[in-house]
Amino acid sequence: MAENDGMRSLRPTLRVNGVPVWQELLSPQAQQEAVSAVLEVAETAPFVVPVTPSGRPMSVGMTSAGSVGWITDRGGYRYETRHPSGVLWPPIPEAILAIWRKASGVARPPSSCLINLYREGARMGLHQDKDEGDLTWPVVSVSLGDAALFRVGGTERKGRTESLWLNSGDVAVLSGETRLAYHGIDRIRAGSSSLVPGGGRINLTMRVVAGY
Ligand code: MD3
Ligand code: FE
């Protein structure tokens, strides 16, 4: 096959409010490799518990790889070229870039891979991803470890939402209409997977950020 058509030739196993999900797209071995790659990133750029602009700690641990990483603190939500410690974000590991190529079909690499760590009880409230400057590129999301109850609405906060349990190895692609959908994680099914050392769930979100 000369061209990468992403997964346009592979049907999503389901859609949740229009968001296509390829369930268990990653083999158990590919999942292991992705987790190992994340743990290497975290040696250089450790997970931090960010605070919202209002000063409230999030329940999710975060780090990033790539040219830029998404952060939040008292100064607001934004992309930065360095971890809060001052070190540059590590490059996105090849095993993770391979998932981007397969899922997005986009030739250029992502600017950023946000890595979210959900231990028991962690959640993420309903929000839009809109700090990227250019919203025409797809976003690729990869679930690893414990199952998570994912909620997706429309482009207005008040819209009707649909929920789906995301399992380890599931991949979702957000593009077009769904790129600005409200979404969040209501809860984690702790202990449902033994993939993540210490337990829990890791989510990778790869994005193109304007200028990077
Ligand atoms: C729908 N992460 O990091 S991934 C995030 O599981 C984030 O950690 C969640 O929301 C998580 O911003 C959900 C699925 C996802 C990711 C990005 C999206 C859904 C999206 C962007 C637009 C619409
Ligand atoms: Fe998001």
Side-chain angles (χ1 to χ4, degrees):
M1 185 166 49
E3 295 197 350
N4 175 13
D5 74 344
M7 294 189 297
R8 278 172 294 183
S9 57
L10 185 59
R11 280 278 173 75
T13 50
L14 54 80
R15 287 182 186 265
V16 50
N17 246 350
V19 173
V21 179
W22 287 263
Q23 291 172 299
E24 292 180 53
L25 184 76
L26 301 189
S27 67
Q29 185 186 330
Q31 295 172 37
Q32 294 276 8
E33 286 171 0
V35 169
S36 298
V38 162
L39 296 179
E40 269 187 43
V41 166
E43 284 177 22
T44 301
F47 286 99
V48 300
V49 175
V51 299
T52 65
S54 68
R56 188 166 186 264
M58 295 183 71
S59 57
V60 175
M62 286 186 181
T63 188
S64 289
S67 305
V68 284
W70 187 85
I71 70 158
T72 172
D73 58 19
R74 283 288 194 168
Y77 302 124
R78 63 199 183 274
Y79 284 91
E80 290 278 7
T81 57
R82 290 174 190 269
H83 183 275
S85 70
V87 300
L88 292 170
W89 302 107
I92 303 175
E94 174 52 33
I96 293 172
L97 289 173
I99 304 170
W100 166 266
R101 289 193 295 267
K102 178 175 180 177
S104 73
V106 167
R108 64 154 293 168
S111 314
S112 180
C113 177
L114 175 64
I115 304 167
N116 294 327
L117 174 62
Y118 296 76
R119 301 291 193 189
E120 187 167 6
R123 54 182 298 283
M124 187 176 289
L126 213 61
H127 66 278
Q128 292 174 297
D129 292 14
K130 53 181 185 185
D131 299 327
E132 293 74 28
D134 180 349
L135 303 178
T136 63
W137 299 95
V139 170
V140 172
S141 159
V142 180
S143 292
L144 299 165
D146 283 344
L149 187 56
F150 176 52
R151 181 194 291 265
V152 196
T155 55
E156 289 184 52
R157 183 176 285 282
K158 51 176 46 172
R160 193 181 56 87
T161 63
E162 278 183 16
S163 294
L164 170 72
W165 282 97
L166 289 174
N167 295 305
S168 195
D170 291 0
V171 175
V173 178
L174 303 309
S175 64
E177 297 259 287
T178 61
R179 179 64 181 77
L180 278 173
Y182 276 88
H183 59 279
I185 296 291
D186 288 341
R187 57 197 162 93
I188 297 302
R189 196 180 272 152
S192 56
S193 164
S194 57
L195 185 71
V196 174
R201 170 176 186 263
I202 289 171
N203 180 262
L204 310 178
T205 311
M206 287 175 270
R207 305 175 170 105
V208 173
V209 177
Y212 293 96

